Short mmCIF file of all heavy atoms in Angstrom, two decimals:
data_model
loop_
_atom_site.label_atom_id
_atom_site.label_comp_id
_atom_site.label_asym_id
_atom_site.label_seq_id
_atom_site.Cartn_x
_atom_site.Cartn_y
_atom_site.Cartn_z
N SER A 288 -40.40 -127.23 -82.11
CA SER A 288 -40.47 -126.21 -81.07
C SER A 288 -39.76 -124.93 -81.48
O SER A 288 -40.23 -123.83 -81.18
CB SER A 288 -39.88 -126.74 -79.76
OG SER A 288 -40.65 -127.80 -79.26
N VAL A 289 -38.63 -125.08 -82.15
CA VAL A 289 -37.92 -123.90 -82.65
C VAL A 289 -38.82 -123.14 -83.62
O VAL A 289 -38.96 -121.92 -83.53
CB VAL A 289 -36.58 -124.28 -83.32
CG1 VAL A 289 -35.98 -123.11 -84.09
CG2 VAL A 289 -35.58 -124.79 -82.29
N CYS A 290 -39.45 -123.86 -84.54
CA CYS A 290 -40.37 -123.22 -85.49
C CYS A 290 -41.57 -122.60 -84.78
O CYS A 290 -42.02 -121.51 -85.15
CB CYS A 290 -40.84 -124.23 -86.53
SG CYS A 290 -39.53 -124.81 -87.61
N LYS A 291 -42.08 -123.30 -83.79
CA LYS A 291 -43.22 -122.78 -83.03
C LYS A 291 -42.81 -121.52 -82.29
O LYS A 291 -43.54 -120.53 -82.26
CB LYS A 291 -43.71 -123.85 -82.05
CG LYS A 291 -44.93 -123.47 -81.24
CD LYS A 291 -46.07 -123.08 -82.10
CE LYS A 291 -47.19 -124.05 -82.03
NZ LYS A 291 -48.37 -123.47 -82.72
N GLY A 292 -41.61 -121.51 -81.72
CA GLY A 292 -41.10 -120.33 -81.04
C GLY A 292 -40.96 -119.16 -81.98
O GLY A 292 -41.20 -118.01 -81.62
N LEU A 293 -40.57 -119.45 -83.22
CA LEU A 293 -40.45 -118.41 -84.24
C LEU A 293 -41.82 -117.81 -84.56
O LEU A 293 -41.95 -116.61 -84.78
CB LEU A 293 -39.83 -119.01 -85.50
CG LEU A 293 -39.62 -118.09 -86.69
CD1 LEU A 293 -38.62 -116.99 -86.34
CD2 LEU A 293 -39.13 -118.88 -87.88
N ALA A 294 -42.85 -118.65 -84.58
CA ALA A 294 -44.20 -118.20 -84.93
C ALA A 294 -44.87 -117.43 -83.79
O ALA A 294 -45.76 -116.61 -84.06
CB ALA A 294 -45.08 -119.40 -85.31
N LEU A 295 -44.47 -117.68 -82.56
CA LEU A 295 -45.09 -117.01 -81.42
C LEU A 295 -44.70 -115.54 -81.40
O LEU A 295 -43.56 -115.17 -81.67
CB LEU A 295 -44.66 -117.66 -80.11
CG LEU A 295 -45.16 -119.08 -79.86
CD1 LEU A 295 -44.49 -119.66 -78.63
CD2 LEU A 295 -46.66 -119.12 -79.73
N LYS A 296 -45.65 -114.71 -81.05
CA LYS A 296 -45.36 -113.28 -80.92
C LYS A 296 -44.43 -113.04 -79.74
O LYS A 296 -43.50 -112.28 -79.80
CB LYS A 296 -46.65 -112.49 -80.74
CG LYS A 296 -47.65 -112.68 -81.86
CD LYS A 296 -47.20 -112.02 -83.13
CE LYS A 296 -48.27 -112.14 -84.18
NZ LYS A 296 -47.82 -112.63 -85.43
N GLU A 297 -44.74 -113.70 -78.64
CA GLU A 297 -43.92 -113.60 -77.43
C GLU A 297 -43.70 -115.01 -76.90
O GLU A 297 -44.61 -115.82 -76.89
CB GLU A 297 -44.64 -112.80 -76.35
CG GLU A 297 -44.70 -111.32 -76.59
CD GLU A 297 -45.38 -110.61 -75.43
OE1 GLU A 297 -45.57 -111.22 -74.36
OE2 GLU A 297 -45.74 -109.45 -75.62
N SER A 298 -42.51 -115.27 -76.44
CA SER A 298 -42.21 -116.56 -75.86
C SER A 298 -42.05 -116.38 -74.35
O SER A 298 -41.19 -115.64 -73.90
CB SER A 298 -40.92 -117.12 -76.47
OG SER A 298 -40.50 -118.23 -75.73
N SER A 299 -42.89 -117.04 -73.60
CA SER A 299 -42.81 -116.98 -72.14
C SER A 299 -42.38 -118.33 -71.60
O SER A 299 -42.41 -119.34 -72.32
CB SER A 299 -44.17 -116.59 -71.56
OG SER A 299 -45.10 -117.65 -71.80
N LEU A 300 -41.98 -118.35 -70.35
CA LEU A 300 -41.61 -119.61 -69.71
C LEU A 300 -42.80 -120.56 -69.70
O LEU A 300 -42.65 -121.76 -69.91
CB LEU A 300 -41.11 -119.34 -68.29
CG LEU A 300 -40.69 -120.57 -67.49
CD1 LEU A 300 -39.55 -121.31 -68.18
CD2 LEU A 300 -40.29 -120.18 -66.08
N GLY A 301 -44.01 -120.02 -69.50
CA GLY A 301 -45.23 -120.84 -69.50
C GLY A 301 -45.46 -121.53 -70.84
O GLY A 301 -45.79 -122.71 -70.89
N LYS A 302 -45.28 -120.80 -71.93
CA LYS A 302 -45.46 -121.39 -73.25
C LYS A 302 -44.37 -122.43 -73.54
O LYS A 302 -44.64 -123.46 -74.14
CB LYS A 302 -45.45 -120.31 -74.33
CG LYS A 302 -46.70 -119.45 -74.31
CD LYS A 302 -46.66 -118.37 -75.37
CE LYS A 302 -47.92 -117.53 -75.31
NZ LYS A 302 -47.90 -116.44 -76.29
N ALA A 303 -43.17 -122.14 -73.11
CA ALA A 303 -42.07 -123.09 -73.31
C ALA A 303 -42.34 -124.38 -72.54
O ALA A 303 -42.15 -125.48 -73.07
CB ALA A 303 -40.74 -122.47 -72.88
N LEU A 304 -42.79 -124.25 -71.30
CA LEU A 304 -43.11 -125.44 -70.50
C LEU A 304 -44.31 -126.20 -71.06
O LEU A 304 -44.33 -127.44 -71.04
CB LEU A 304 -43.35 -125.06 -69.04
CG LEU A 304 -42.10 -124.71 -68.24
CD1 LEU A 304 -42.48 -124.24 -66.84
CD2 LEU A 304 -41.15 -125.89 -68.18
N LYS A 305 -45.29 -125.47 -71.55
CA LYS A 305 -46.47 -126.12 -72.15
C LYS A 305 -46.05 -126.98 -73.34
O LYS A 305 -46.45 -128.14 -73.45
CB LYS A 305 -47.48 -125.06 -72.59
CG LYS A 305 -48.77 -125.64 -73.15
CD LYS A 305 -49.76 -124.53 -73.48
CE LYS A 305 -51.07 -125.10 -73.97
NZ LYS A 305 -52.05 -124.03 -74.25
N ALA A 306 -45.24 -126.43 -74.22
CA ALA A 306 -44.74 -127.21 -75.36
C ALA A 306 -43.90 -128.38 -74.88
O ALA A 306 -44.04 -129.50 -75.39
CB ALA A 306 -43.93 -126.32 -76.30
N GLY A 307 -43.05 -128.15 -73.90
CA GLY A 307 -42.21 -129.22 -73.36
C GLY A 307 -43.03 -130.36 -72.79
O GLY A 307 -42.71 -131.54 -73.00
N ILE A 308 -44.08 -130.02 -72.08
CA ILE A 308 -44.94 -131.07 -71.49
C ILE A 308 -45.66 -131.85 -72.58
O ILE A 308 -45.76 -133.08 -72.53
CB ILE A 308 -45.92 -130.45 -70.47
CG1 ILE A 308 -45.13 -129.99 -69.24
CG2 ILE A 308 -47.02 -131.43 -70.09
CD1 ILE A 308 -45.91 -129.11 -68.27
N TRP A 309 -46.18 -131.16 -73.59
CA TRP A 309 -46.85 -131.85 -74.70
C TRP A 309 -45.90 -132.82 -75.37
O TRP A 309 -46.18 -134.02 -75.51
CB TRP A 309 -47.37 -130.85 -75.73
CG TRP A 309 -48.77 -130.38 -75.49
CD1 TRP A 309 -49.14 -129.16 -75.01
CD2 TRP A 309 -49.97 -131.10 -75.71
NE1 TRP A 309 -50.51 -129.09 -74.92
CE2 TRP A 309 -51.04 -130.27 -75.35
CE3 TRP A 309 -50.25 -132.39 -76.17
CZ2 TRP A 309 -52.37 -130.68 -75.44
CZ3 TRP A 309 -51.57 -132.79 -76.28
CH2 TRP A 309 -52.61 -131.94 -75.91
N PHE A 310 -44.76 -132.30 -75.84
CA PHE A 310 -43.84 -133.13 -76.59
C PHE A 310 -43.20 -134.21 -75.71
O PHE A 310 -43.05 -135.36 -76.12
CB PHE A 310 -42.76 -132.28 -77.27
CG PHE A 310 -43.30 -131.41 -78.37
CD1 PHE A 310 -43.15 -130.03 -78.33
CD2 PHE A 310 -43.97 -131.96 -79.45
CE1 PHE A 310 -43.64 -129.23 -79.35
CE2 PHE A 310 -44.47 -131.17 -80.46
CZ PHE A 310 -44.31 -129.79 -80.42
N GLY A 311 -42.81 -133.85 -74.50
CA GLY A 311 -42.18 -134.82 -73.60
C GLY A 311 -43.12 -135.96 -73.24
O GLY A 311 -42.71 -137.12 -73.17
N SER A 312 -44.39 -135.64 -73.00
CA SER A 312 -45.37 -136.68 -72.66
C SER A 312 -45.56 -137.67 -73.80
O SER A 312 -45.55 -138.89 -73.59
CB SER A 312 -46.72 -136.05 -72.30
OG SER A 312 -46.60 -135.23 -71.18
N PHE A 313 -45.72 -137.15 -74.99
CA PHE A 313 -45.92 -138.04 -76.14
C PHE A 313 -44.66 -138.85 -76.44
O PHE A 313 -44.74 -140.03 -76.77
CB PHE A 313 -46.36 -137.26 -77.37
CG PHE A 313 -47.85 -137.11 -77.46
CD1 PHE A 313 -48.53 -136.23 -76.62
CD2 PHE A 313 -48.59 -137.84 -78.36
CE1 PHE A 313 -49.90 -136.08 -76.68
CE2 PHE A 313 -49.97 -137.71 -78.44
CZ PHE A 313 -50.63 -136.83 -77.59
N GLN A 314 -43.50 -138.22 -76.32
CA GLN A 314 -42.25 -138.94 -76.57
C GLN A 314 -42.03 -140.02 -75.52
O GLN A 314 -41.32 -140.99 -75.78
CB GLN A 314 -41.05 -137.99 -76.58
CG GLN A 314 -40.96 -137.13 -77.80
CD GLN A 314 -40.52 -137.87 -79.05
OE1 GLN A 314 -40.38 -139.07 -79.10
NE2 GLN A 314 -40.29 -137.12 -80.11
N ALA A 315 -42.60 -139.90 -74.35
CA ALA A 315 -42.49 -140.94 -73.33
C ALA A 315 -43.55 -142.03 -73.52
O ALA A 315 -43.26 -143.22 -73.33
CB ALA A 315 -42.63 -140.32 -71.94
N LEU A 316 -44.76 -141.64 -73.90
CA LEU A 316 -45.85 -142.61 -74.04
C LEU A 316 -45.68 -143.51 -75.28
O LEU A 316 -46.02 -144.70 -75.23
CB LEU A 316 -47.20 -141.90 -74.08
CG LEU A 316 -47.64 -141.26 -72.78
CD1 LEU A 316 -48.91 -140.45 -72.98
CD2 LEU A 316 -47.84 -142.32 -71.70
N MET A 317 -45.19 -142.96 -76.36
CA MET A 317 -45.09 -143.74 -77.60
C MET A 317 -44.09 -144.90 -77.49
O MET A 317 -44.40 -146.01 -77.94
CB MET A 317 -44.78 -142.84 -78.78
CG MET A 317 -45.93 -141.91 -79.13
SD MET A 317 -47.41 -142.80 -79.62
CE MET A 317 -47.33 -142.58 -81.37
N PRO A 318 -42.90 -144.73 -76.90
CA PRO A 318 -42.03 -145.89 -76.77
C PRO A 318 -42.61 -146.94 -75.82
O PRO A 318 -42.38 -148.14 -76.01
CB PRO A 318 -40.71 -145.34 -76.23
CG PRO A 318 -40.84 -143.90 -76.11
CD PRO A 318 -42.24 -143.51 -76.50
N LEU A 319 -43.37 -146.48 -74.84
CA LEU A 319 -44.03 -147.44 -73.95
C LEU A 319 -45.02 -148.28 -74.74
O LEU A 319 -45.06 -149.51 -74.61
CB LEU A 319 -44.73 -146.70 -72.80
CG LEU A 319 -45.48 -147.58 -71.81
CD1 LEU A 319 -44.55 -148.58 -71.14
CD2 LEU A 319 -46.18 -146.71 -70.77
N ALA A 320 -45.82 -147.63 -75.59
CA ALA A 320 -46.77 -148.37 -76.44
C ALA A 320 -46.03 -149.31 -77.38
O ALA A 320 -46.42 -150.47 -77.56
CB ALA A 320 -47.63 -147.39 -77.23
N GLY A 321 -44.94 -148.84 -77.98
CA GLY A 321 -44.14 -149.68 -78.86
C GLY A 321 -43.52 -150.85 -78.12
O GLY A 321 -43.47 -151.98 -78.64
N PHE A 322 -43.07 -150.61 -76.91
CA PHE A 322 -42.48 -151.68 -76.09
C PHE A 322 -43.51 -152.76 -75.79
O PHE A 322 -43.23 -153.95 -75.92
CB PHE A 322 -41.95 -151.08 -74.79
CG PHE A 322 -41.33 -152.09 -73.86
CD1 PHE A 322 -40.00 -152.45 -74.02
CD2 PHE A 322 -42.06 -152.66 -72.84
CE1 PHE A 322 -39.42 -153.37 -73.17
CE2 PHE A 322 -41.50 -153.58 -71.99
CZ PHE A 322 -40.17 -153.95 -72.15
N LEU A 323 -44.71 -152.33 -75.42
CA LEU A 323 -45.77 -153.30 -75.12
C LEU A 323 -46.13 -154.11 -76.36
O LEU A 323 -46.34 -155.33 -76.28
CB LEU A 323 -47.00 -152.59 -74.55
CG LEU A 323 -46.77 -151.91 -73.18
CD1 LEU A 323 -48.00 -151.10 -72.79
CD2 LEU A 323 -46.43 -152.93 -72.12
N LEU A 324 -46.17 -153.46 -77.50
CA LEU A 324 -46.45 -154.14 -78.76
C LEU A 324 -45.32 -155.10 -79.12
O LEU A 324 -45.55 -156.27 -79.45
CB LEU A 324 -46.66 -153.11 -79.87
CG LEU A 324 -46.97 -153.64 -81.25
CD1 LEU A 324 -48.32 -154.35 -81.27
CD2 LEU A 324 -46.96 -152.51 -82.25
N GLY A 325 -44.10 -154.62 -79.04
CA GLY A 325 -42.94 -155.44 -79.38
C GLY A 325 -42.74 -156.61 -78.44
O GLY A 325 -42.27 -157.68 -78.85
N SER A 326 -43.11 -156.46 -77.17
CA SER A 326 -42.96 -157.54 -76.20
C SER A 326 -43.82 -158.74 -76.55
O SER A 326 -43.47 -159.88 -76.24
CB SER A 326 -43.34 -157.05 -74.80
OG SER A 326 -42.43 -156.08 -74.37
N ARG A 327 -44.92 -158.50 -77.21
CA ARG A 327 -45.82 -159.60 -77.60
C ARG A 327 -45.16 -160.51 -78.65
O ARG A 327 -45.49 -161.69 -78.74
CB ARG A 327 -47.13 -159.05 -78.15
CG ARG A 327 -47.92 -158.27 -77.12
CD ARG A 327 -49.23 -157.79 -77.67
NE ARG A 327 -50.07 -158.83 -78.19
CZ ARG A 327 -51.01 -159.47 -77.52
NH1 ARG A 327 -51.25 -159.13 -76.28
NH2 ARG A 327 -51.74 -160.40 -78.10
N PHE A 328 -44.24 -159.94 -79.46
CA PHE A 328 -43.64 -160.70 -80.54
C PHE A 328 -42.17 -161.02 -80.31
O PHE A 328 -41.56 -161.69 -81.13
CB PHE A 328 -43.77 -159.91 -81.86
CG PHE A 328 -45.18 -159.57 -82.20
CD1 PHE A 328 -45.65 -158.27 -82.04
CD2 PHE A 328 -46.06 -160.54 -82.64
CE1 PHE A 328 -46.96 -157.96 -82.34
CE2 PHE A 328 -47.38 -160.23 -82.93
CZ PHE A 328 -47.83 -158.94 -82.79
N GLN A 329 -41.63 -160.58 -79.19
CA GLN A 329 -40.20 -160.68 -78.95
C GLN A 329 -39.67 -162.12 -78.97
O GLN A 329 -38.66 -162.39 -79.58
CB GLN A 329 -39.87 -160.01 -77.61
CG GLN A 329 -38.40 -159.88 -77.37
CD GLN A 329 -38.01 -160.49 -76.05
OE1 GLN A 329 -38.83 -160.79 -75.21
NE2 GLN A 329 -36.73 -160.69 -75.91
N LYS A 330 -40.35 -163.03 -78.36
CA LYS A 330 -39.87 -164.42 -78.28
C LYS A 330 -39.79 -165.09 -79.66
O LYS A 330 -38.89 -165.87 -79.91
CB LYS A 330 -40.78 -165.22 -77.36
CG LYS A 330 -40.57 -164.90 -75.89
CD LYS A 330 -41.40 -165.83 -75.03
CE LYS A 330 -41.28 -165.67 -73.57
NZ LYS A 330 -40.98 -164.47 -72.96
#
């Protein structure tokens, strides 16, 4: 995000939130997927 902010001509609150939503969503979904996968083998 820091690098992306550097590349942007202008940084607005909308662009910052857009990046936050993209990264935050994926960072939340991936551990959920890993948890579901790991739960199958946990025992």
Side-chain angles (χ1 to χ4, degrees):
S288 294
V289 168
C290 293
K291 183 56 112 170
L293 180 64
L295 293 172
K296 303 289 185 230
E297 287 182 14
S298 169
S299 67
L300 180 60
K302 289 179 181 178
L304 285 175
K305 184 176 183 178
I308 290 168
W309 269 105
F310 292 122
S312 298
F313 272 74
Q314 287 286 7
L316 291 173
M317 292 298 257
L319 179 60
F322 179 85
L323 295 173
L324 181 65
S326 294
R327 296 182 57 94
F328 303 106
Q329 188 234 347
K330 286 186 178 29

